[in-house]
Amino acid sequence: MALRCMLIIGNNRNILVDTGIGDKFSKKYTEIYKIDQSEINISTSLKKHGLTNKDITDVILTHLHFDHAGGATCLSNGELRPSFPNAAYYIQKDNLDLADNPSEKDIGSYRKENFEPLKTSGKLEIIKGELEIFPNIFLFISNGHTLGLQHVKVSDGNKTIVYCADMIPTVSHLPVPYIMGYDLFPLTIIEEKKRLLKNASEGDWMLFFEHDP
């Protein structure tokens, strides 16, 4: 599985969509999840574009599951801090509320070390609902995988690309009934996928698959 983030550059902004799993896991969990960042990681990927973590101006977190938000914070001199010190971070209120009070099913996915430092630093922007967050960059919501998952749609009216996140994590999940065991509301995500795929087909949109290997 990949942990593929999207970088949007323009209008004096460097916007990162999701942050990957990060590097705070213990050796035990690194082995359990078989995390391998020896060749590909956020820093090396940004470097290819002449950027460092300090150059990121905005981070849009689709949701706070550890494989999407783990890279939002890092350990520095024994303290947890935002990984992108000059960036504002954006999250939906519904997802933050769930992360703050997770169910037994969710508790392993929402790890407070990935978002509490964003709160205390004052860098977390809590938003509610769909909006045009920057010119030509839109957020729309789905609730089947988890509550308040925000998807990023970039469109100039001619070409459109959608960051599918965990609604359609891989190409293998394109068939409408093919969903994940992680999804909280299976019937909801099926309807959400049908709407997205219909709009994408009619509008000739490109789909960005975050987890496809």
Side-chain angles (χ1 to χ4, degrees):
M1 302 289 284
L3 298 169
R4 190 174 292 109
C5 308
M6 182 161 70
L7 178 65
I8 307 169
I9 300 174
N11 295 334
N12 297 314
R13 309 198 83 89
N14 300 308
I15 304 166
L16 193 63
V17 183
D18 278 350
T19 62
I21 204 165
D23 56 8
K24 302 187 301 294
F25 273 104
S26 66
K27 182 180 178 181
K28 173 185 174 181
Y29 280 97
T30 298
E31 291 175 352
I32 288 173
Y33 290 107
K34 292 181 169 52
I35 301 167
D36 181 7
Q37 300 188 73
S38 58
E39 295 183 14
I40 301 173
N41 55 59
I42 287 287
S43 296
T44 58
S45 296
L46 288 175
K47 189 175 181 179
K48 293 177 182 177
H49 298 278
L51 301 174
T52 70
N53 286 28
K54 293 181 179 179
D55 295 313
I56 298 300
T57 59
D58 307 274
V59 178
I60 300 173
L61 296 168
T62 60
H63 59 304
L64 293 171
H65 283 171
F66 67 79
D67 55 325
H68 297 256
T73 64
C74 62
L75 276 170
S76 177
N77 297 322
E79 293 185 11
L80 284 166
R81 298 179 181 177
S83 299
F84 307 94
N86 299 316
Y89 291 74
Y90 304 88
I91 190 66
Q92 286 287 324
K93 182 179 185 301
D94 287 348
N95 193 249
L96 180 61
D97 289 346
L98 179 59
D100 281 331
N101 297 283
S103 68
E104 290 181 348
K105 185 179 188 302
D106 294 310
I107 198 166
S109 297
Y110 289 112
R111 304 172 67 94
K112 292 188 181 297
E113 64 265 28
N114 295 331
F115 56 90
E116 285 294 340
L118 306 180
K119 291 183 186 177
T120 57
S121 69
K123 294 184 176 296
L124 189 63
E125 300 283 343
I126 302 170
I127 53 181
K128 188 170 178 63
E130 302 182 347
L131 76 158
E132 184 175 6
I133 190 168
F134 300 110
N136 297 329
I137 301 177
F138 306 85
L139 302 180
F140 67 93
I141 312 301
S142 69
N143 294 293
H145 175 66
T146 189
L147 296 177
L149 192 159
Q150 57 186 3
H151 301 269
V152 176
K153 181 178 77 171
V154 184
S155 180
D156 62 1
N158 182 29
K159 293 183 178 180
T160 298
I161 185 169
V162 172
Y163 192 77
C164 294
D166 278 348
M167 187 199 299
I168 310 177
T170 74
V171 174
S172 298
H173 292 90
L174 276 169
V176 170
Y178 289 17
I179 60 174
M180 295 192 291
Y182 291 106
D183 296 333
L184 292 185
F185 305 104
L187 297 181
T188 299
I189 202 166
I190 284 173
E191 293 304 314
E192 291 168 343
K193 283 176 66 175
K194 286 163 68 175
R195 285 195 297 271
L196 173 58
L197 292 171
K198 180 176 185 292
N199 290 335
S201 177
E202 292 177 351
D204 195 25
W205 296 355
M206 292 178 284
L207 300 181
F208 187 123
F209 302 107
E210 185 167 8
H211 287 308
D212 196 276

